[in-house]
């Protein structure tokens, strides 16, 4: 069912206006007449993983407007408020325009030659003295594919260290290990079309109205057209999304593990499962820590996954009665039964959607496994309009971090460094000795910064990320970076940030359409754009910076390109042939993105489904063919409930959850420089339940001191914000660099994925 653009815009206007809090949808000052002499180019939005298409208007070497691209299938002309103000992120007054080098306490302007030769000498010195594992690069799901690929090739294939990590470790790592353990491939089976076609949508800790607004409006649009559509929002906090949902189901933090098992319990007990689907397509396994599927990591595994029978799985579920899950979660037992029946309802197409509520979780991998269990039990998967969908945060967390594989344990296209055959394939394409790529992963993101603190890593280069604001347990890492003793931090950014504050060298960087790029979004859609304007001053793109270092370290032979972007693409594409199948570069320069695998020029909508997936044979129906170990079947995992790493107690009686607001992007460096966005949401507040505030004698907008075992900040309390805290919970967004909530966050992480839990720790709140 294809929506016309008019229908789409009309119907989604309600949702968008709601989400945008009354902001106007057009760039101020742009009228039709001003269009004269404006050149329009296509690009994906630089912000969220939705991957909206935008048209970028350039006049006299400057971007004067952006607008939603009507030809883009993702958004059909619509953007959210951040998309509309995209151009302004480039023109903040304090853009970095020259390299800066630390001299004592001062940052002093330098030439590129000085800066890069200093960086190269620090790399060489550290590698000579302490070995290749003493240097590291920490990149981003906002890296273009080229940037991530070049970094991985230089560090893994040139320097010979697996010290490559992206900020996506803080974001999508649990989704990755969830996919790998259940399906043996890191990719969604569904596409955004499911938002237009489904009947029931279960949201599991995703504030889509603020964080994926255009996808949210697609779903709301579906509901406006089809009264049978139901949206059920599970959450620990009442959000804009909850307000628009048909039902809001609040649950105690971390108890999603028990709830999901209880839903499975009811499905099994009432025999609501799809027996023939299970017989053909599923195996059952148990095991707490081993992720199986050959994806060995740094993390210590204490037991192997063990096969189990359906009956044994049923036994495992016996503990998770609705009553037991109700006691833990606070969701009434009858409600759990009702929702289980809704999940299994054969007359409805069912979707589950989640983001950081699942992934930022000390059992992030398990909770991803548990939601797949529900779809596998009921056979509601790999069909148009009916799929589990892991929403991605960053614009190229999928395309760069995951598909290119810029993690310590990965190589491109789902390959891993621990597998000698995979290393051989990579070495062949890279034209290097296969022994160059170390066979063991080193540090996941948190461990990388712990290693810097300890002094095991000396030199770290960060690109397109602001870790010294976005890491949890921030005080430790900020102090660690400045301990001296040979530690050397290089930061590539476009603005001064909390990370440039601790840097020894700052490299001014080009952003978005100041360079050519490719991003990959959450529905396997790869989108390309051309450079449209020059970066300011001497700013350079990250790709040029990486290749410059490569040459200075004697690895220039790895980058023998003329048209760098295109040639990197064609080289990278070799990794994907016969699997993820990316198309030739040319194809992307014309299309509004293509969803891989692209075979014989055709994109793929549904993975593992006959008639859609080019690798599923006629008569197979559904085939989870990536999981060769289990004979082309997906795994239903028995994963237990476990409490959070830190929970409220007498001294720290509140749960702290952290996250985002519509107007700001992460650490606020870009959106904070757009006056309209800054005015709309100027600074961070602490959301609190009015009853809790009353007990503490705190009034609306009064300042409070909020402390955890790791840090303290002071900020105003909001008793009537757009997000409403449940009793015993508080929420603070992390965009405000004057109120570093990350100093309070715990750096405990999922032992399988390495992703930290930003959604739960214990705090106390006092009058300031
Ligand atoms: N405006 C805006 N949009 C963005 C971004 C941005 O910075 N600004 N960033 C992008 C990125 S990188 C990301 S990762 C996404 C994040 O997108 P989301 O995950 O949707 O947003 P957050 O605000 O991080 O998370 C808030 C949610 O966590 C849930 N939660 C808290 N505790 C638990 C729990 O124990 N279990 C479960 N299941 N849920 C829980 C809450 O119910 C709440 O809905 O947004 C993307 N989009
Ligand atoms: N408390 C709390 N903390 C969190 C989370 C949470 O939910 N709660 N979520 C985590 C998640 S999911 C994520 S994804 C991370 C995000 O954390 P970060 O990646 O640290 O945050 P960003 O603000 O996106 O940082 C991107 C930086 O790159 C710069 N930049 C923009 N474009 C370019 C470019 O082209 N080149 C270069 N060199 N620089 C550029 C920007 O100015 C900005 O400083 O935060 C994590 N931290
Ligand atoms: S929904 Fe995401 S991709 Fe679309 S315009 Fe907004 S921030 Fe950009
Ligand atoms: Mo993220």
């Amino acid at each position: 069912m294809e929506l016309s653009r008019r229908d789409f815009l009309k119907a989604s206007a309600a949702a968008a206006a709601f989400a945008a809090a009354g902001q106007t949808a057009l760039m101020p000052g742009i009228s039709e007449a001003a269009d004269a002499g404006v050149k329009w180019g296509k690009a994906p939005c630089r912000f969220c993983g939705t991957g909206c298409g935008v048209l970028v208007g350039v006049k006299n070497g400057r971007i004067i407007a952006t607008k939603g691209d009507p030809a883009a299938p993702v958004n059909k002309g619509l953007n959210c408020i951040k998309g509309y103000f995209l151009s302004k992120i480039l023109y903040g007054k304090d853009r970095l325009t020259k390299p800066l080098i630390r001299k004592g306490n001062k940052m002093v302007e330098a030439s590129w030659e000085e800066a890069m030769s200093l960086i190269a000498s620090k790399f060489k010195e550290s590698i000579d003295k302490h070995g290749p594992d003493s240097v590291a690069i920490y990149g981003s799901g906002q890296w273009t594919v080229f940037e991530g690929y070049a970094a991985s090739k230089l560090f893994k294939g040139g320097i010979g260290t697996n010290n490559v990590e992206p900020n996506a470790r803080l974001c999508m790592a649990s989704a990755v290990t969830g996919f790998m353990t259940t399906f043996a491939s890191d990719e969604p089976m569904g596409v955004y079309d499911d938002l237009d076609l489904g009947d029931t949508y279960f949201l599991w800790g995703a504030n889509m109205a603020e964080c994926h607004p255009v996808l949210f409006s697609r779903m709301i649009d579906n509901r406006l057209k089809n009264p049978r559509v139901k949206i059920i929002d599970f959450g620990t906090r009442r959000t804009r999304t909850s307000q628009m949902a048909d039902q809001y189901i609040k649950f105690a933090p971390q108890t999603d593990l028990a709830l999901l098992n209880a839903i499975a319990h009811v499905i099994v007990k009432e025999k609501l499962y799809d027996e023939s689907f299970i017989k053909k397509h599923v195996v059952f396994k148990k095991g707490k820590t081993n992720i199986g599927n050959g994806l060995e990591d740094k993390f210590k595994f204490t037991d192997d996954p063990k096969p189990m029978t359906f009956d044994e799985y049923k036994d495992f579920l016996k503990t998770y009665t609705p009553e037991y899950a109700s006691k833990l979660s606070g969701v009434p037992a009858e409600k759990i039964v009702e929702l289980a029946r809704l999940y299994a309802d054969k007359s409805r197409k069912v979707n589950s959607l989640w983001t950081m509520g699942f992934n930022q979780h000390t059992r992030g991998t398990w909770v991803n496994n548990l939601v797949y269990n529900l779809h596998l039990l009921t056979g509601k998967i790999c069909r148009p309009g009916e799929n589990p969908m892991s929403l991605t945060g960053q614009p190229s967390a999928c395309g760069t971090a995951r598909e290119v594989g810029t993690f310590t344990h990965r190589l491109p296209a789902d390959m891993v460094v621990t597998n000698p055959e995979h290393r051989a394939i990579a070495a062949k394409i890279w034209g290097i000795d296969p022994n160059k790529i170390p066979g063991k992963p080193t540090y996941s993101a948190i461990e990388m910064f712990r290693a810097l603190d300890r002094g095991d890593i000396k030199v770290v280069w960060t690109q397109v990320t602001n870790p010294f604001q976005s890491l949890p347990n921030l005080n430790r890492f900020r102090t660690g970076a400045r301990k001296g003793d040979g530690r050397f931090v290089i930061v590539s950014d476009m603005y001064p940030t909390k990370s440039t504050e601790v840097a020894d060298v700052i490299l001014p960087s080009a952003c978005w359409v100041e360079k050519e790029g490719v991003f990959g979004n959450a529905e396997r859609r790869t989108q390309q754009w051309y450079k449209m304007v020059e970066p300011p001053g001497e700013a350079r793109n990250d790709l040029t910076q990486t290749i410059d270092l490569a040459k200075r370290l004697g690895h220039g032979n790895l980058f023998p390109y003329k048209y760098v972007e295109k040639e990197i693409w064609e080289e990278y594409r070799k990794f994907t042939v016969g699997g993820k199948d990316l198309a030739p570069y040319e194809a992307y320069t014309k299309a509004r993105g293509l969803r891989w695998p692209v075979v014989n020029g055709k994109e793929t909508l549904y993975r593992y489904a006959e008639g859609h997936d080019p690798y599923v044979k006629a008569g197979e129906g559904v085939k989870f063919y990536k999981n060769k170990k289990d004979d082309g079947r997906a795994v239903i995992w028995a994963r237990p409930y476990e409490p959070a790493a830190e929970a409220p107690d007498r001294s720290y009686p509140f749960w702290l959850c952290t996250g985002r607001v519509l107007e700001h992007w992460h650490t606020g460096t870009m959106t904070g420089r757009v006056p309209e966005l800054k005015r709309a949401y100027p600074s961070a507040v602490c959301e609190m339940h009015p009853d809790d505030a009353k007990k503490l004698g705190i009034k609306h907008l009064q300042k409070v001191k909020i402390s955890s075992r790791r840090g303290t900040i002071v900020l105003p309390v909001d008793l009537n914000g757009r997000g409403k805290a449940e009793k015993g919970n508080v929420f603070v967004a992390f965009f405000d660099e004057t109120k570093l909530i990350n100093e309070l966050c715990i750096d405990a992480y999922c032992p399988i994925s390495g992703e930290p839990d930003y959604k739960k720790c214990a705090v106390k709140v006092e009058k300031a």
Side-chain angles (χ1 to χ4, degrees):
M1 185 184 59
E2 184 69 13
L3 301 172
S4 80
R5 187 196 159 219
R6 228 175 114 237
D7 284 351
F8 181 83
L9 286 177
K10 211 169 81 189
S12 37
F18 188 85
Q23 294 292 315
T24 52
L26 278 175
M27 281 291 293
I30 303 299
S31 66
E32 287 302 315
D35 255 20
V38 180
K39 266 201 206 146
W40 294 93
K42 64 145 185 131
C45 171
R46 196 234 162 279
F47 292 119
C48 84
T50 299
C52 291
V54 299
L55 291 171
V56 183
V58 178
K59 193 173 180 178
N60 300 330
R62 215 180 139 86
I63 304 178
I64 58 144
T66 58
K67 58 186 179 188
D69 182 352
V74 170
N75 56 311
K76 301 185 177 75
L78 192 71
N79 276 166
C80 81
I81 186 89
K82 286 183 301 307
Y84 290 121
F85 286 110
L86 262 168
S87 61
K88 293 202 174 184
I89 65 171
L90 301 177
Y91 300 120
K93 284 193 198 86
D94 54 345
R95 267 299 287 267
L96 295 166
T97 56
K98 275 190 171 267
L100 298 166
I101 291 178
R102 182 175 295 277
K103 300 250 161 83
N105 280 335
K106 270 204 186 136
M107 296 307 289
V108 180
E109 285 188 0
S111 67
W112 273 98
E113 180 52 40
E114 276 173 276
M116 290 309 301
S117 75
L118 174 64
I119 292 169
S121 72
K122 292 288 177 187
F123 266 91
K124 276 187 203 148
E125 188 188 318
S126 187
I127 294 167
D128 286 349
K129 268 202 203 151
H130 312 287
D133 285 345
S134 68
V135 300
I137 188 155
Y138 181 65
S140 181
Q142 301 163 60
W143 251 340
T144 66
V145 165
F146 319 128
E147 290 161 353
Y149 183 84
S152 181
K153 191 176 182 186
L154 171 60
F155 279 73
K156 299 197 173 205
I159 296 172
T161 175
N162 285 322
N163 281 351
V164 180
E165 275 281 293
N167 62 359
R169 181 72 74 177
L170 315 176
C171 176
M172 297 312 297
S174 301
V176 173
T177 45
F179 273 120
M180 292 305 290
T181 45
T182 301
F183 304 103
S185 180
D186 177 20
E187 57 184 294
M189 47 291 306
V191 279
Y192 296 162
D193 306 53
D194 295 334
L195 296 165
D196 315 327
L197 303 175
D199 299 313
T200 315
Y201 296 90
F202 289 99
L203 313 184
W204 282 99
N207 182 8
M208 284 179 79
E210 296 200 68
C211 294
H212 293 90
V214 167
L215 296 182
F216 188 66
S217 66
R218 271 177 84 157
M219 190 173 65
I220 295 292
D221 175 49
N222 178 6
R223 187 178 64 180
L224 283 171
K225 291 206 175 90
N226 305 302
R228 66 187 256 108
V229 171
K230 280 202 175 89
I231 300 172
I232 291 113
D233 178 43
F234 287 93
T236 62
R237 171 184 172 236
R238 220 174 271 264
T239 63
R240 277 269 166 84
T241 310
S242 323
Q243 290 170 48
M244 295 283 277
D246 296 276
Q247 290 189 51
Y248 164 64
I249 315 277
K250 72 168 177 193
F251 63 94
Q254 187 85 357
T255 62
D256 38 14
L257 293 162
L259 270 175
L260 286 152
N261 276 330
I263 292 174
H265 172 103
V266 177
I267 289 174
V268 162
K269 192 172 161 210
E270 300 191 357
K271 298 204 164 45
L272 305 174
Y273 49 84
D274 182 338
E275 189 141 22
S276 86
F277 187 91
I278 293 173
K279 273 198 181 128
K280 275 193 231 147
H281 304 301
V282 170
V283 292
F284 295 87
K285 286 188 193 177
K286 60 182 170 186
K288 280 192 158 183
T289 46
N290 195 315
I291 69 174
N293 296 319
L295 187 66
E296 297 300 300
D297 209 328
K298 170 86 178 162
F299 317 111
K300 302 279 181 293
F301 298 136
T302 52
D303 63 347
D304 281 330
K306 293 193 182 65
M308 66 197 301
T309 63
F310 191 10
D311 283 337
E312 285 167 330
Y313 172 67
K314 287 178 187 166
D315 281 346
F316 160 80
L317 287 177
K318 280 200 176 132
T319 317
Y320 296 94
T321 59
E323 291 70 27
Y324 173 66
S326 174
K327 228 193 255 165
L328 286 171
S329 66
V331 181
E334 321 75 81
K335 193 47 125 187
I336 297 175
V337 174
E338 179 195 318
L339 294 170
R341 291 176 185 157
L342 193 57
Y343 248 109
D345 186 340
K346 290 200 167 49
S347 72
R348 301 179 69 85
K349 293 191 198 127
V350 174
N351 295 275
S352 306
L353 297 134
W354 63 97
T355 323
M356 291 308 116
F358 270 1
N359 296 348
Q360 294 172 344
H361 198 300
T362 47
R363 286 301 178 184
T365 311
W366 291 2
V367 78
N368 273 267
N369 293 144
L370 291 180
V371 80
Y372 292 132
N373 287 357
L374 301 183
H375 287 263
L376 291 167
L377 282 170
T378 55
K380 291 174 177 289
I381 191 164
C382 306
R383 296 191 199 148
E386 172 150 84
N387 279 296
M389 171 53 100
S390 152
L391 294 167
T392 324
Q394 298 176 88
S396 203
C398 286
T400 306
R402 296 164 66 179
E403 289 157 32
V404 174
T406 59
F407 293 88
T408 183
H409 65 285
R410 292 238 333 225
L411 290 165
D414 277 356
M415 298 198 300
V416 288
V417 298
T418 42
N419 184 328
E421 284 168 33
H422 293 178
R423 292 202 303 277
I425 295 170
K428 192 162 175 227
I429 295 175
W430 287 347
I432 58 163
D433 174 354
N435 295 320
K436 188 79 200 190
I437 308 166
K440 275 202 178 143
T442 50
Y443 306 105
S444 60
I446 298 293
E447 290 301 336
M448 186 182 264
F449 287 94
R450 287 181 182 171
L452 180 69
D453 175 39
R454 289 195 307 270
D456 294 340
I457 287 181
K458 297 285 186 199
V459 181
V460 63
W461 186 356
T462 74
Q463 292 186 345
V464 210
T465 180
N466 185 9
F468 296 98
Q469 182 169 344
S470 61
L471 286 168
N473 196 9
L474 196 57
N475 281 325
R476 170 174 180 189
F477 299 121
R478 289 182 65 80
T479 318
R482 298 269 5 116
K483 275 185 179 166
D485 191 25
R487 288 176 188 77
F488 195 79
V489 178
I490 303 134
V491 175
S492 293
D493 206 295
M494 55 196 287
Y495 287 115
T497 67
K498 282 285 156 192
S499 297
T500 61
E501 268 178 22
V502 304
D504 296 285
V505 177
I506 302 171
L507 298 175
S509 302
C511 173
W512 192 45
V513 296
E514 293 167 352
K515 58 192 175 190
E516 187 165 330
V518 166
F519 281 161
N521 81 354
E523 61 163 355
R524 290 179 267 109
R525 184 183 296 276
T526 312
Q527 310 200 71
Q528 183 270 358
W529 73 94
Y530 285 119
K531 176 174 171 176
M532 297 177 205
V533 291
E534 288 299 327
E538 294 177 24
R540 286 186 186 169
N541 77 48
D542 299 270
L543 180 60
T544 312
Q545 298 172 26
T546 302
I547 295 178
D548 186 336
L549 177 69
K551 288 183 179 150
R552 289 168 197 268
L553 296 181
H555 300 301
N557 58 319
L558 295 177
F559 303 94
Y561 318 115
K562 287 198 187 80
Y563 182 172
V564 185
E565 289 84 354
K566 183 165 184 244
E567 287 173 56
I568 285 190
W569 181 264
E570 295 306 337
E571 182 183 308
Y572 165 50
R573 198 165 86 82
K574 290 185 195 157
F575 283 95
T576 71
V577 175
K580 294 189 190 263
D581 294 282
L582 295 166
Y585 197 59
E586 277 296 297
Y588 298 105
T589 62
K590 295 180 201 119
R592 263 33 179 198
L594 293 170
R595 287 169 284 191
W596 58 261
V598 186
V599 175
N600 298 327
K602 245 187 83 196
E603 59 170 358
T604 301
L605 269 71
Y606 296 95
R607 286 297 259 171
Y608 314 128
E610 184 181 338
H612 295 279
D613 188 319
Y615 296 104
V616 176
K617 296 186 197 93
E620 279 183 333
V622 166
K623 187 86 183 169
F624 298 106
Y625 56 89
K626 294 282 182 101
N627 195 6
K628 294 197 182 79
K629 259 193 179 170
D630 295 308
D631 196 25
R633 290 155 184 264
V635 184
I636 285 185
W637 284 95
R639 305 290 205 190
Y641 164 76
E642 232 180 43
E646 188 181 74
D649 55 20
R650 239 198 253 158
S651 320
Y652 296 90
F654 286 92
W655 285 106
L656 168 68
C657 176
T658 64
R660 300 157 168 80
V661 296
L662 173 76
E663 292 83 353
H664 288 293
W665 180 253
H666 295 160
T667 64
T669 59
M670 293 177 277
T671 46
R673 283 170 173 90
V674 177
E676 291 83 351
L677 297 176
K678 175 93 182 157
R679 270 202 303 275
Y681 211 122
S683 51
V685 290
C686 173
E687 285 173 10
M688 194 180 211
H689 194 280
D691 291 355
D692 287 331
K694 210 169 170 190
K695 269 193 223 149
L696 294 167
I698 296 165
K699 293 202 180 69
H700 183 52
L701 296 182
Q702 198 173 353
K703 280 204 171 144
V704 291
K705 190 165 102 179
I706 160 169
S707 328
S708 76
R709 291 180 176 83
R710 295 156 293 277
T712 297
I713 61 167
V714 173
L715 78 179
V717 96
D718 193 340
L719 303 180
N720 190 26
R722 71 170 65 145
K724 310 233 185 295
E726 296 295 349
K727 269 189 213 170
N729 292 252
V730 293
F731 174 88
V732 180
F734 72 106
F735 67 86
D736 189 341
E737 68 169 20
T738 67
K739 300 178 186 76
L740 293 176
I741 191 64
N742 285 40
E743 291 181 354
L744 278 64
C745 295
I746 193 164
D747 55 349
Y749 54 70
C750 165
I752 303 175
S753 71
E755 178 160 345
D757 190 335
Y758 291 102
K759 295 292 179 258
K760 295 160 222 107
C761 71
V763 295
K764 62 180 171 199
V765 183
E766 301 153 288
K767 255 191 220 173

